[in-house]
Amino acid sequence: MITGKTSIFGIMGDPVEHSLSPPMHNTTFSKLAIDSVYVPFHVKKGYLQSAMVGARSMGIKGLNVTIPHKTAVIEYLDSLDTAAKLIGAVNTVKFDENEVKGYNTDGLGAVKAIEEVTTVKNKKVVILGAGGAARAISFQILLEGAESLVIANRTFEKAIELKEDLAGKLDVNVKTVTLGFDLENELKNADILINTTPIGMYPNVNQKPLVTADMMHGGLVVNDVVYNPLETGLLKEARKAGAQTISGTKMLIYQGVEAFRIWTGIEPPVDIFEMALMNELRP
Ligand SMILES: NC(=O)c1ccc[n+]([C@@H]2O[C@H](COP(=O)([O-])OP(=O)(O)OC[C@H]3O[C@@H](n4cnc5c(N)ncnc54)[C@H](OP(=O)(O)O)[C@@H]3O)[C@@H](O)[C@H]2O)c1
């Protein structure tokens, strides 16, 4: 029951009605008997400043931030953690008495997902895409000590932009390739492949993946950040090649788990988040 003592958390974005974060956080609050609630806030462009001032003055304890506010929200924060500062985007805000701090748990979510099956340290990682998700994951993967990163993107200039940003901020080994032959070559000795493009996402489930089974090897770990469907075309190809697969649900779960930990100081059981998410995604 919501009482005068209940702490308020939430997510702000536009759109926000399809967010899967409310069921994950609310189920966890309820199972752990924590007197808190997590609410969706539909905040349109132009209302971000008033939303942040309002959240602070109404005693909201924490917010997730999604499209289109992940970068713009930085202006209304007092400080940023290392990853958020490097990435230049925030998906989690913690409101303390004297400080409003921004974090980015997207990249960490992907790393934790991958670390369910393998370590990232000293590995060669190939990433497909150079957009927002690729950016967060690339910085985090390199912060975690990946040996090298290859960025493959349809618009080559965007891959170069991301590479230059990474190389300008971190002492790292980053390469860019176009889709096709060069990508195929890089995959021969890669350890981890991460797709951050929306290819294969519902309703385009039959869209041909950028990488097919013949371009993979059995020692590869393949993570698709697309979570609907649970097994994308890319993951089907990976399974055919004998590679290990990680569904996009894992990144979604772990970015939420990390936000929960930042807000409450409690390491929540991952299986509660997983169960709550699967209840929403399974037909
Ligand atoms: N599991 C999770 O927790 C999680 C978290 C965040 C995002 N996601 C998913 O990740 C995906 C990307 O999100 P984002 O925010 O990074 O998007 P974004 O910033 O728009 O970037 C999309 C990237 O995909 C590439 N791309 C799009 N369509 C393509 C196509 N037909 N062929 C080749 N490349 C294509 C784009 O290439 P160009 O540069 O050439 O346009 C760009 O690099 C979405 O499906 C989103 O739902 C999942």
Side-chain angles (χ1 to χ4, degrees):
M1 199 183 43
I2 295 174
T3 70
K5 293 183 191 142
T6 306
S7 298
I8 313 291
F9 297 86
I11 179 165
M12 59 175 186
D14 178 23
V16 81
E17 63 268 29
H18 300 300
S19 171
L20 295 161
S21 293
M24 289 197 289
H25 287 283
N26 283 321
T27 305
T28 309
F29 284 139
S30 156
K31 294 263 183 207
L32 299 185
I34 296 172
D35 187 7
S36 297
V37 66
Y38 185 103
V39 188
F41 296 110
H42 188 181
V43 177
K44 292 186 183 158
K45 258 193 180 160
Y47 288 89
L48 180 61
Q49 182 175 14
S50 51
M52 285 300 288
V53 172
R56 192 172 199 162
S57 47
M58 287 195 294
I60 285 175
K61 297 281 191 290
L63 287 174
N64 279 136
V65 183
T66 189
I67 289 164
H69 304 308
K70 284 187 174 188
T71 301
V73 75
I74 291 175
E75 200 180 320
Y76 310 109
L77 305 174
D78 300 322
S79 65
L80 293 175
D81 86 329
T82 307
K85 200 182 285 174
L86 286 169
I87 297 163
V90 161
N91 79 328
T92 302
V93 176
K94 185 177 186 200
F95 295 85
D96 278 335
E97 196 97 325
N98 300 314
E99 188 185 45
V100 182
K101 184 166 178 178
Y103 301 80
N104 192 310
T105 69
D106 282 329
L108 194 54
V111 167
K112 295 254 171 189
I114 292 165
E115 288 187 338
E116 274 197 3
V117 301
T118 189
T119 53
V120 164
K121 198 169 168 58
N122 298 330
K123 298 288 168 63
K124 174 177 178 179
V125 182
V126 175
I127 196 156
L128 306 173
R135 191 178 166 73
I137 296 170
S138 296
F139 271 104
Q140 198 70 44
I141 286 271
L142 291 167
L143 284 174
E144 304 290 331
E147 184 262 321
S148 62
L149 177 72
V150 177
I151 305 165
N153 195 47
R154 177 177 62 183
T155 310
F156 192 56
E157 300 73 46
K158 281 201 196 161
I160 291 174
E161 260 172 50
L162 178 54
K163 175 193 157 164
E164 284 177 353
D165 196 18
L166 289 159
K169 291 174 178 169
L170 300 170
D171 181 19
V172 288
N173 178 2
V174 185
K175 207 170 163 178
T176 47
V177 292
T178 50
L179 304 174
F181 184 68
D182 287 345
L183 169 60
E184 194 165 346
N185 251 345
E186 292 295 341
L187 284 167
K188 284 182 183 148
N189 65 348
D191 301 298
I192 299 167
L193 170 67
I194 308 169
N195 173 55
T196 70
T197 76
I199 292 174
M201 185 166 78
Y202 179 84
N204 304 314
V205 295
N206 292 322
Q207 204 173 0
K208 187 173 180 248
L210 293 175
V211 175
T212 46
D214 53 304
M215 297 162 75
M216 300 182 196
H217 59 83
L220 195 64
V221 171
V222 182
N223 178 200
D224 198 336
V225 306
V226 171
Y227 54 79
N228 184 11
L230 293 175
E231 190 181 50
T232 58
L234 179 76
L235 295 186
K236 282 186 184 145
E237 291 294 313
R239 197 155 47 83
K240 261 193 248 170
Q244 274 184 287
T245 61
I246 304 164
S247 144
T249 52
K250 295 286 182 179
M251 173 177 171
L252 192 56
I253 290 164
Y254 280 107
Q255 64 74 31
V257 163
E258 288 304 311
F260 192 100
R261 193 182 50 72
I262 287 165
W263 293 327
T264 65
I266 295 167
E267 190 80 50
V270 175
D271 57 343
I272 300 179
F273 270 77
E274 185 145 34
M275 182 212 38
L277 179 61
M278 289 310 169
N279 279 345
E280 297 297 313
L281 289 176
R282 285 208 184 98

